[in-house]
Amino acid sequence: MTRDETKKILMMMQCSFPNWKPIMDMAFVIDVWNDDLADYSYEQCYMALKAYKSTNTSGFAPSVGQLIDMIHSIGARGEKELNSNEAWALVMKALCNSNYHAEEEYEKLPNLVKIAVGSPDNLRTLASSSDFNEEVEKSLFARVYDTTVKREKENARLPEAIKRAIIESESHKSIADKQEEFK
């Protein structure tokens, strides 16, 4: 989004929320919001602001985080988010054929379910377990899956620059760990 587009969003906010009066220099406010919303298009921000205005009854203008949250909730409507019971049903279906075809069954699963399952070997282990207790496994899976979904939602809201910095620091950490192994 350009600086002028950010300025238009802030002008709309000022018109819609007359009590919103930044206490700082408006040029600085525009620069800060432009930096914070750099990963999003004008159309996304415009639609998020419209959605916020029509759903929020507090009378207060949105913060940057609230606007970003609205962008993601609008964008997520096209994809069906599975709850833990629906995700577990997919895992159970995959388990039926995982004694010999765990890799293929694992690849059919949605990404968040894959992350929660861990690996094709985990599918194979569960499928071949003689003391498999569905209620216990379902409960364990639901906890991991819900945590995975929450973490992925939080990560989706992070600015791209921060995501790159995290990935970079993790790769440096893993290089340092490997160097320690060889000592």
Side-chain angles (χ1 to χ4, degrees), residues 154-165:
E154 290 169 356
N155 287 344
R157 288 174 175 82
L158 289 175
E160 289 301 318
I162 293 175
K163 289 179 191 175
R164 283 192 300 274

Side-chain angles (χ1 to χ4, degrees), residues 1 8-9 12 41-53 67 71 74:
M1 186 162 65
K8 283 173 68 175
I9 294 290
M12 283 186 260
S41 70
Y42 171 77
E43 291 76 20
Q44 289 174 304
C45 294
Y46 175 77
M47 293 307 293
L49 182 57
K50 283 189 67 109
Y52 179 88
K53 291 188 308 185
L67 207 57
I71 289 168
I74 291 169

Side-chain angles (χ1 to χ4, degrees), residues 7-26:
K7 188 175 179 180
K8 283 173 68 175
I9 294 290
L10 293 176
M11 287 171 57
M12 283 186 260
M13 280 178 42
Q14 209 162 16
C15 291
S16 301
F17 302 96
N19 294 336
W20 186 70
K21 294 180 182 11
I23 56 174
M24 297 179 222
D25 175 30
M26 195 58 173

Side-chain angles (χ1 to χ4, degrees), residues 3 8-10 29 32 35 42 50 57 60 64 72 87 89 102 122 130-131 138 145 154 158 178-179:
R3 190 176 189 285
K8 283 173 68 175
I9 294 290
L10 293 176
V29 172
V32 169
D35 183 55
Y42 171 77
K50 283 189 67 109
T57 59
F60 293 104
V64 172
H72 285 277
N122 290 345
S130 60
D131 59 337
K138 180 181 179 181
Y145 180 76
E154 290 169 356
L158 289 175
K178 288 177 185 176
Q179 289 172 342

Side-chain angles (χ1 to χ4, degrees), residues 4-183:
D4 285 340
E5 290 170 336
T6 302
K7 188 175 179 180
K8 283 173 68 175
I9 294 290
L10 293 176
M11 287 171 57
M12 283 186 260
M13 280 178 42
Q14 209 162 16
C15 291
S16 301
F17 302 96
N19 294 336
W20 186 70
K21 294 180 182 11
I23 56 174
M24 297 179 222
D25 175 30
M26 195 58 173
F28 182 72
V29 172
I30 293 168
D31 290 339
V32 169
W33 278 68
N34 190 55
D35 183 55
D36 290 343
L37 298 173
D39 294 335
Y40 305 99
S41 70
Y42 171 77
E43 291 76 20
Q44 289 174 304
C45 294
Y46 175 77
M47 293 307 293
L49 182 57
K50 283 189 67 109
Y52 179 88
K53 291 188 308 185
S54 65
T55 60
N56 188 295
T57 59
S58 71
F60 293 104
S63 65
V64 172
Q66 288 172 310
L67 207 57
I68 291 171
D69 188 46
M70 190 61 72
I71 289 168
H72 285 277
S73 66
I74 291 169
R77 288 187 184 146
E79 305 170 3
K80 171 135 175 40
E81 183 179 304
L82 300 174
N83 64 38
S84 60
N85 288 330
E86 294 167 328
W88 178 250
L90 294 176
V91 172
M92 286 300 294
K93 183 178 177 187
L95 286 175
C96 293
N97 196 26
S98 288
N99 272 331
Y100 300 104
H101 303 285
E103 288 81 10
E104 294 90 343
E105 292 299 325
Y106 181 79
E107 288 306 316
K108 292 178 189 175
L109 296 172
N111 282 336
L112 293 178
V113 177
K114 283 183 193 177
I115 293 168
V117 167
S119 71
D121 288 335
N122 290 345
L123 281 178
R124 186 177 292 110
T125 300
L126 286 174
S128 62
S129 175
S130 60
D131 59 337
F132 177 78
N133 182 327
E134 183 177 352
E135 290 304 312
V136 171
E137 295 300 333
K138 180 181 179 181
S139 174
L140 293 171
F141 173 82
R143 222 174 320 160
V144 172
Y145 180 76
D146 290 341
T147 302
T148 301
V149 169
K150 182 179 176 186
R151 185 178 60 239
E152 289 300 314
K153 282 182 178 179
E154 290 169 356
N155 287 344
R157 288 174 175 82
L158 289 175
E160 289 301 318
I162 293 175
K163 289 179 191 175
R164 283 192 300 274
I166 290 170
I167 291 168
E168 191 173 298
S169 74
E170 287 175 355
S171 68
H172 287 307
K173 191 185 308 178
S174 64
I175 291 170
D177 292 342
K178 288 177 185 176
Q179 289 172 342
E180 284 297 315
E181 289 177 14
F182 290 112
K183 287 184 179 180

